[in-house]
Every structure is written in C-alpha cells, then in structure tokens.
Amino acid sequence: MHEYDALRAARPEWFTNTPGGIDIETSPDAVARAGGVIYQDTRRIVLCDAVTFPGGRPGTYLRTMSASPQPGAAVLPMLPDGRLVLVEHFRHATRSWHLEAPRGFGAAGLTSTDTAAKELGEEIGAHAPELLALGRVHPDTGALGDEVRLFAALITSVGALATSEGIRKALTVTFEEAEGMVRDGQITDGLTIALLYRARLHGLASPAAPLYAASKAAGRHRAVAGV
C-alpha cells in the first residue's frame, strides 16, 4: 500500500478517473485485494489495480508502466540517398530475431530527442546533429501505459553495433523494400511499422527528398531541446 500511495502522489495522471471509463479504486482494502505494485525495477513497474467497470462490476486490471517519467523514443535512421537503416535485434519477450529501428526507454534528465540520439549512438554507432519529430504513439493501449516519441534522423554512416544487447547486424533498405517487408510479415515490430507510416506521411518516402529537404518543404520543425 505504501508503494502504491507513493506512486499515486508521484504520478497522479496514472490514477485519473474519467466519466464513463474504468474507475480505479484506491481504498486500502481494494488495493490490498488487487495487489497494487506487483513488481518494479529501474525500467518497469507492474500494477494490479482494483477497478470498477462501467455498469458497476468490480474487478482487477493488470498494467505495465515505464519507471521513468520521460517517454521512450524510437528513431528511423536515413542515409543521404534515402535508404533506411534497420537492425536485426534478438528480443527476449518473443524469443525471436526482429528487424527494427533503434529505440530505447526514457531516462530522467534526458528529453525524448536526447534519448533518440543516444540510441542511435549506442545501437548503430551513428551520429545525427538534428532529428525530425514524427509524433507519438502508445505501443499497446491494452496493457502498456507507455508513450513513445518517434523521430527520423539523417545519418552518414553506421559504426559499431551494440552486439552485447542482442544486435547481430544492420542492413540498409529502400523505403519501398521496408514497406514490402511489413506487407510480407518480415517486419512485425509495431514501433518500426509506426515509424515507417509516420515518415511516409511526413513526405520522407521519396529518395529524391532526403530528411532535411523534405522537412523544410513540408514546413516541419526539427526536434529541439525540450521535446
């Protein structure tokens, strides 16, 4: 109960009840019955809330939240000729290799732009002086409370890969090839699919329109500190 109350004080937005929605019950008996904070570490918090569903039925609901108040970030690396850089990353949750764009958890003291730049450096050894913000997504609204900010970045080369994190190779593909991989089921990672879709909507799918030229022509603003 103490951990649950501490979270309610620190993150009140996690416990807001909205008319017509699923209400969270916060009495000591209700929290004790549901379980409250089931697990937490430096990255994740797992909660089991006591809830009342529309219509009055009581129950419990499990959700997973990021431990950091800062959103995570995912970034689509683009080479000057318009090709994209994806990594082949082993994911423990699915016990499978996945083709993905670099991404990472948010961290205290870092903006989402900082996180995106950090992940580029750590995962593929690339540097991007500026990034284009592509908006935000919620990866799984049924179970995760996380928000992830999306970016595109113009890079000139790929350096050392984060092999210790389960990345075994990087590959470069055209935008059309990447979308074909989505269509054929070779790319199944939701954040990478969201990045490709948002990038296309921002006019970045044409090799004739590299990141900065496309963003300027579309009147977009590049990501700046504080995003």
Side-chain angles (χ1 to χ4, degrees):
M1 187 68 201
H2 172 72
E3 292 175 334
Y4 199 77
D5 283 345
L7 276 178
R8 287 176 59 205
R11 304 296 300 273
E13 70 276 12
W14 286 2
F15 300 90
T16 300
N17 286 335
T18 302
I22 299 172
D23 287 345
I24 297 176
E25 306 298 334
T26 57
S27 69
D29 287 346
V31 174
R33 182 175 66 254
V37 179
I38 301 298
Y39 172 81
Q40 64 179 322
D41 58 24
T42 58
R43 290 190 170 184
R44 288 288 187 196
I45 300 172
V46 181
L47 303 176
C48 190
D49 301 297
V51 301
T52 299
F53 291 94
R57 177 173 60 89
T60 60
Y61 222 129
L62 195 69
R63 56 180 171 153
T64 301
M65 322 292 284
S66 173
S68 171
Q70 298 296 329
V75 55
L76 186 66
M78 303 182 68
L79 295 165
D81 63 2
R83 288 178 300 149
L84 313 176
V85 179
L86 301 175
V87 296
E88 198 169 44
H89 203 152
F90 187 83
R91 293 299 185 180
H92 172 69
T94 62
R95 303 302 299 163
S96 301
W97 292 96
H98 293 272
L99 288 174
E100 300 179 355
R103 70 170 187 253
F105 287 97
L110 295 181
T111 66
S112 299
T113 310
D114 295 333
T115 298
K118 179 174 72 71
E119 294 302 324
L120 277 176
E122 291 179 354
E123 292 198 9
I124 63 172
H127 172 69
E130 294 180 281
L131 296 95
L132 175 66
L134 301 178
R136 63 184 184 132
V137 294
H138 294 92
D140 183 352
T141 56
L144 302 179
D146 295 0
E147 176 184 308
V148 178
R149 302 288 176 86
L150 305 179
F151 298 89
L154 183 66
I155 64 172
T156 58
S157 63
V158 175
L161 303 181
T163 55
S164 63
E165 294 185 10
I167 295 174
R168 67 181 178 185
K169 71 177 180 180
L171 67 157
T172 60
V173 295
T174 66
F175 211 101
E176 290 72 19
E177 288 171 336
E179 290 183 320
M181 291 175 174
V182 173
R183 181 191 62 238
D184 297 340
Q186 297 176 65
I187 294 176
T188 59
D189 173 60
L191 287 175
T192 303
I193 294 171
L195 278 167
L196 290 168
Y197 185 50
R198 288 284 181 83
R200 176 169 284 284
L201 292 177
H202 279 71
L204 303 180
S206 171
L211 175 60
Y212 296 156
S215 63
K216 184 181 295 184
R220 310 291 180 184
H221 294 288
R222 298 168 193 164
V224 295
V227 173

